[in-house]
Amino acid sequence: LVIGTHSLIQEAVTFSNLGLSVIDEQHRFGVDQRAALREKASEGSIPDVLVMTATPIPRTAAMTVYGDLDVSVLDELPPGRTPITTKWVSSDIDIWAKVGNRIGAGEQAYVVCPLIDENEKMQITSAEKTFERLKENELSGMEVGLLHGRLTGQEKRDIMSRFRNKKIDILVSTTVIEVGVDVPNATVMVILDADRFGIAQLHQLRGRVGRGEAHSWCYLVSDSETPDAVQRLSALESSTDGFELAEI
């Protein structure tokens, strides 16, 4: 049994008798990459293939229709998880008091921004500016942390460790928390300029909360009224079903 990243696809990696290949987070692999893994079987043999994903993207839906796959749908939450209430709001004015209430109850929160720093050409909320603002104004007196892709690997690990150990109450972040982050005590997610993210990204981000036994909330903040934004944010507000979102 060998567990690895995309490095298993390299030509230098060979198998004596490959019988099963399991591709997790399959949407992060291209068609050729998945094929390359299958072709590592001994000549004349075809390995069984299991592809897995929880991300609602059209390609996954198409694979289930055209890819001659047997489909298993896991549509129930794992034990100990609670449903997430998703709300689309046009302004963040009323949200910070709600976030403060959850912090007061001993829980934690994420605040997600599309950019690391300010961009003069685009009026988009930046993580650095939001971090400074919340620390000094709406959430002053609480421990606010900042996480983004320009930090070193060690800095990121230190911040996530402090968040996991409840030393940080609110984590302001970019999409670096999209996958692989599991903090059951985090019950609130606020996504600023939510119309700047795709359905799959929003669904993945929302999955960072609702991982414990307490009720969780996800607030999508956007005043955009474009048809795309309205369709996307309404879909997230009305459904937590990945298959339904992939069809949309």
Side-chain angles (χ1 to χ4, degrees), residues 20 131 160:
L20 169 67
F131 168 68
M160 279 314 304

Side-chain angles (χ1 to χ4, degrees), residues 27-49:
H27 57 281
R28 293 187 176 270
F29 294 80
V31 173
D32 290 344
Q33 288 181 320
R34 287 194 298 268
L37 195 52
R38 282 199 303 276
E39 286 160 10
K40 288 186 176 291
S42 309
E43 202 166 322
S45 73
I46 300 171
D48 292 327
V49 178

Side-chain angles (χ1 to χ4, degrees), residues 24-193:
D24 192 15
E25 300 286 3
Q26 70 85 21
H27 57 281
R28 293 187 176 270
F29 294 80
V31 173
D32 290 344
Q33 288 181 320
R34 287 194 298 268
L37 195 52
R38 282 199 303 276
E39 286 160 10
K40 288 186 176 291
S42 309
E43 202 166 322
S45 73
I46 300 171
D48 292 327
V49 178
L50 171 64
V51 294
M52 307 197 295
T53 184
T55 305
I57 57 171
R59 190 170 73 215
T60 301
M63 281 176 68
T64 64
V65 177
Y66 305 114
D68 192 26
L69 299 174
D70 293 325
V71 181
S72 298
V73 180
L74 307 179
D75 59 2
E76 69 275 3
L77 291 170
R81 297 279 181 92
T82 50
I84 302 164
T85 300
T86 304
K87 289 190 174 178
W88 171 20
V89 294
S90 59
S91 162
D92 64 3
I93 291 171
D94 299 328
I95 288 176
W96 305 118
K98 293 172 182 171
V99 171
N101 286 340
R102 298 327 308 155
I103 303 305
E107 297 164 13
Q108 292 164 282
Y110 297 101
V111 178
V112 181
C113 306
L115 295 177
I116 296 176
D117 47 28
E118 275 194 293
N119 183 322
E120 289 176 10
K121 293 178 186 169
M122 293 156 49
Q123 297 299 308
I124 302 177
T125 317
S126 74
E128 288 181 341
K129 191 104 178 185
T130 301
F131 168 68
E132 296 295 341
R133 181 189 122 202
L134 294 179
K135 203 168 56 162
E136 291 170 17
N137 299 303
E138 290 93 341
L139 299 174
S140 63
M142 299 177 195
E143 197 60 45
V144 185
L146 176 64
L147 182 68
H148 55 67
R150 284 197 204 136
L151 300 175
T152 65
Q154 187 57 50
E155 285 171 328
K156 287 181 201 164
R157 284 191 292 276
D158 289 347
I159 288 165
M160 279 314 304
S161 172
R162 289 181 62 217
F163 188 60
R164 220 173 270 115
N165 293 322
K166 304 181 185 176
K167 301 279 194 301
I168 292 174
D169 301 315
I170 303 107
L171 186 62
V172 178
S173 175
T174 55
T175 55
V176 292
I177 59 158
E178 192 178 334
V179 291
V181 174
D182 184 13
V183 181
N185 194 51
T187 59
V188 185
M189 170 159 287
V190 179
I191 303 176
L192 301 175
D193 287 320

